[in-house]
Amino acid sequence: MERRRFLALAGAAGLAAAGSAGPAAAAATYPFHDAGVTAEAHAKLGELAPYGVTAFAFTPSGGWVVVTQDGRYFARGIPDACFTELGALSKAGRRIHCLAFPPEGGDRWVITTDKGVSARGLPTACLDRIKSYYAAGQQVVDVAFPPAGGDRWVVTAANAFYAKGVDDECYQMMRNLTQGGRKLTRVAFPKAGGWVVVAQDEYFARNIPDACFTKMGTLAGGGWQVHSVAFAPGGGWVLSTRGKAPALPADKVRQVENAVGGATLWQRMNAYHTPGVTVAVVVGNKIAWSTGYGRLEAGGAAAAHPESAFQAASISKAVTALGVLRLAQTGGPALSADIRPHLGWTLPQRDCVTSTAAPTIDRLLAHRAGVVGRGSTSPAGACSGFASGGGGFAGYGPDAAVPTLLQVMNGEGNSPKIELTTAPGAEYHYSGAGFVLLQRMLEQRTGGTLADYMRTEVFAPLGMTTSSYALAPAFELAAGHTATGAVIPGKRNRYPESAAAGLYTNVLDLCRLVSWLNRAYTASADIAGPLSRASVRTLLSEGPQPGMGRGLFLAGAGTDGFSYSHDGSNYGFRSLFQGYPKLGAGFAVLANGSDAGLVTEIAAAIKKVYGWP
């Protein structure tokens, strides 16, 4: 060890002499913080911090090494081969980006530089990934290993990162922090669990020592970038910087997160007892960013990713409307047609409904066909004075038999029979039952299920690969939660009333739909997709109900802020999406909680940050 100490000091002195006059080169003062480390490690940090610490790392057995940006270094208790290689690289003028030691210990280590990598004993896939980045012209700035060991690691390159076997939320946060134009710079894992992710001027941590997190805030508050984060096997830690945080454009992702309901998105999720949320935003008719927060299931390991599928609830109706217009466009019944001849079933009618007006497809899409929704059908024989709050379906839990669509229509499930309760065209009653009739028509006309029809005719052409009307699609699915944050029985209710409430989708697919609708609406001619420009114009133009297109709510007609939208509320799930054709913009929010206030607040934050009406 004395030999190693001598070589380290000699190396530092030699490099200083080759630079600009030794100690005088340390013109800057770079702060650092540590706790629970040896007196020697603390002292060496103090000596070398003024030169800008590039990397500080601990070995699993408690050794440590520190390197500065001008090539000075000192090590104690690291593998001999690693120390020798570090000296050779420094002597050759290589800029050291990081050193890391896999948790299995022994002669296992990696050093990344401005011109390549030196390593021993790494997982094969990890080393291959590092080499592939260098081969592609990207320097690797960080390598990190979770304490569980094995084939678990993170590799961060100049403009990319790759992770394997890490905590799912940690991985999600790496993605989130890079969505706002930031580059991932450091990832670190305490031995006892937890993690920290740094992306230039931003960072996020879980279950790290409170004092460490506080000092990260101190550095950031002083305008410094956190360049090195290291956790000792005994619980100590080191933070260091080698310069001020870069001046970067405003991060709209973080702006949205910090403007939700007068607090942060995380705080509002906690207040609403919602374990998981996903968000995607469209700018310039492209998905500008997409993020996930929290977990797919309370207490579970799987994080909520933008790719994760949630129940979209009544957004199902808006998407079904595309299928209805697709059918009309390809030889099916016109929107003006009476739906009754296309049902293969007789629509009952209350005695007091004497009007000869027809429940047309167009009126059903606008909730004005005289089919009153669930919860608004009392008294049973009335044609006016209905209770408020109708339109939805309760779904079927894990112990309930799921009825067929025809049984739902006949009132043999957990909802009243579907019937004509008011004069078609006369009144607006939000009606999931009306969309059940549209589903029946689609299935009767095509000879298949709504799920099959929408997959081939709508989802496939739009690249919506994680969207389905199936009762239990084979996607990664979020679990629904009660108002107290408990997982609902069976995790998800089933909805045979698929057109009204049964869509599973993710925020990426919804924003693909938003982007396409925006482009199709504003195009001068048809573009590739399920609907012609004329059909899209019909979809997004006011129909029989003021303020509604076909299955979509409209706002700001005739202005640049014109928009279409729909929200959703199933047992344990809430959702909202909105598009602005003339602005080329939009967003989608999906949550696995029971309070609509959260998705509304997130939507308001997005609109505020982007200046959308």
Side-chain angles (χ1 to χ4, degrees):
M1 292 301 294
E2 288 306 312
R3 175 176 176 274
R4 179 169 298 170
R5 173 178 169 81
F6 170 79
L7 289 173
L9 291 173
L15 287 168
S20 54
T29 299
Y30 301 115
F32 73 93
H33 302 281
D34 62 27
V37 303
T38 66
E40 183 182 40
H42 175 77
K44 282 302 168 188
L45 271 168
E47 289 178 22
L48 296 178
Y51 299 93
V53 173
T54 301
F56 190 104
F58 290 100
T59 71
S61 59
W64 51 272
V65 57
V66 56
V67 183
T68 68
Q69 59 189 346
D70 66 350
R72 303 161 195 264
Y73 62 92
F74 188 92
R76 179 71 74 190
I78 70 172
D80 287 342
C82 179
F83 184 80
T84 300
E85 183 66 10
L86 175 59
L89 292 170
S90 295
K91 185 176 181 180
R94 299 288 187 266
R95 184 179 179 88
I96 307 299
H97 291 321
C98 87
L99 292 95
F101 303 92
E104 290 83 358
D107 193 16
R108 297 178 176 88
W109 48 271
V110 59
I111 306 171
T112 67
T113 76
D114 55 346
K115 294 185 178 180
V117 59
S118 297
R120 183 174 291 184
L122 298 193
T124 301
C126 178
L127 184 56
D128 288 346
R129 178 62 58 174
I130 294 171
K131 290 179 177 178
S132 71
Y133 281 132
Y134 279 108
Q138 287 206 57
Q139 298 179 32
V140 171
V141 298
D142 191 39
V143 181
F145 301 98
D151 196 16
R152 300 176 177 88
W153 42 269
V154 178
V155 174
T156 302
N159 294 299
F161 73 90
Y162 194 94
K164 185 175 183 182
V166 303
D167 175 85
D168 201 22
E169 188 183 25
C170 176
Y171 173 73
Q172 182 58 68
M173 190 49 60
M174 295 179 209
R175 296 180 62 186
N176 283 8
L177 288 174
T178 57
Q179 293 287 298
R182 271 55 179 168
K183 298 177 181 179
L184 202 64
T185 56
R186 279 292 183 268
V187 179
F189 301 95
K191 185 176 180 180
W195 45 267
V196 59
V197 177
V198 181
Q200 294 180 288
D201 60 341
E202 299 171 346
Y203 59 89
F204 198 94
R206 279 282 192 225
N207 300 322
I208 69 171
D210 288 343
C212 180
F213 187 76
T214 299
K215 289 302 184 182
M216 290 178 73
T218 300
L219 286 176
W224 299 101
Q225 181 175 351
V226 178
H227 284 106
S228 186
V229 185
F231 295 100
W237 52 268
V238 170
L239 299 175
S240 62
T241 182
R242 58 179 184 271
K244 292 288 187 174
L248 298 170
D251 185 343
K252 291 188 180 297
V253 181
R254 260 20 86 188
Q255 288 179 329
V256 169
E257 290 175 1
N258 293 324
V260 179
T264 70
L265 189 150
W266 296 100
Q267 290 169 327
R268 300 309 289 158
M269 286 174 64
N270 184 62
Y272 283 115
H273 304 292
T274 297
V277 172
T278 57
V279 182
V281 170
V282 172
V283 177
N285 284 331
K286 295 181 180 179
I287 298 175
W289 53 271
S290 61
T291 62
Y293 305 90
R295 304 285 178 175
L296 292 180
E297 179 178 340
H305 295 281
E307 293 84 359
S308 305
F310 288 63
Q311 287 189 354
S314 285
I315 288 177
S316 306
K317 300 177 179 69
V319 179
T320 294
L322 273 80
V324 173
L325 267 70
R326 170 71 180 173
L327 186 68
Q329 180 181 296
T330 54
L335 298 188
S336 59
D338 186 336
I339 197 171
R340 289 175 292 188
H342 306 285
L343 296 175
W345 173 81
T346 301
L347 176 64
Q349 177 173 314
R350 294 189 181 180
D351 291 341
C352 54
V353 178
T354 58
S355 171
T356 59
T360 64
I361 295 168
D362 212 19
R363 285 170 173 165
L364 285 164
L365 288 169
H367 304 282
R368 292 189 70 94
V371 178
V372 176
R374 175 182 179 272
S376 297
T377 56
S378 177
C383 288
S384 63
F386 302 109
S388 62
F393 291 98
Y396 295 85
D399 300 324
V402 178
T404 65
L405 191 67
L406 192 58
Q407 287 174 323
V408 170
M409 293 160 62
N410 287 326
E412 297 169 19
N414 61 7
S415 57
K417 68 179 181 180
I418 298 176
E419 58 185 348
L420 209 57
T421 48
T422 64
E427 302 175 31
Y428 172 84
H429 294 285
Y430 185 77
S431 176
F435 275 77
V436 168
L437 297 184
L438 292 169
Q439 178 179 343
R440 172 72 176 184
M441 176 198 70
L442 278 164
E443 294 183 345
Q444 287 292 105
R445 290 285 304 198
T446 63
T449 65
L450 175 71
D452 289 341
Y453 178 79
M454 293 297 290
R455 183 183 67 250
T456 58
E457 298 297 317
V458 176
F459 298 148
L462 295 179
M464 297 173 66
T465 57
T466 312
S467 297
S468 177
Y469 281 95
L471 288 179
F475 305 142
E476 179 185 57
L477 302 177
H481 296 80
T482 68
T484 63
V487 179
I488 67 174
K491 300 186 179 181
R492 293 163 289 274
N493 274 2
R494 295 158 294 169
Y495 295 86
E497 311 91 349
S498 305
L503 174 65
Y504 284 91
T505 190
N506 62 27
V507 290
L508 296 173
D509 275 4
L510 285 177
C511 282
R512 290 183 182 105
L513 175 60
V514 165
S515 174
W516 183 82
L517 285 175
N518 288 352
R519 290 183 288 112
Y521 182 87
T522 56
S524 58
D526 293 349
I527 65 173
L531 298 180
S532 65
R533 179 180 182 274
S535 292
V536 171
R537 283 273 171 165
T538 297
L539 182 79
L540 302 183
S541 296
E542 192 172 277
Q545 173 61 25
M548 278 204 78
R550 275 67 182 183
L552 286 153
F553 295 95
L554 308 178
T559 71
D560 287 345
F562 164 65
S563 71
Y564 54 89
S565 66
H566 211 295
D567 61 358
S569 177
N570 275 5
Y571 182 36
F573 294 90
R574 297 296 182 267
S575 59
L576 176 63
F577 89 119
Q578 189 163 1
Y580 299 86
K582 296 182 179 180
L583 299 178
F587 61 86
V589 183
L590 297 172
N592 60 359
S594 289
D595 199 313
L598 179 60
V599 296
T600 302
E601 289 178 4
I602 295 171
I606 294 169
K607 294 177 185 180
K608 178 180 179 181
V609 167
Y610 284 94
W612 300 335

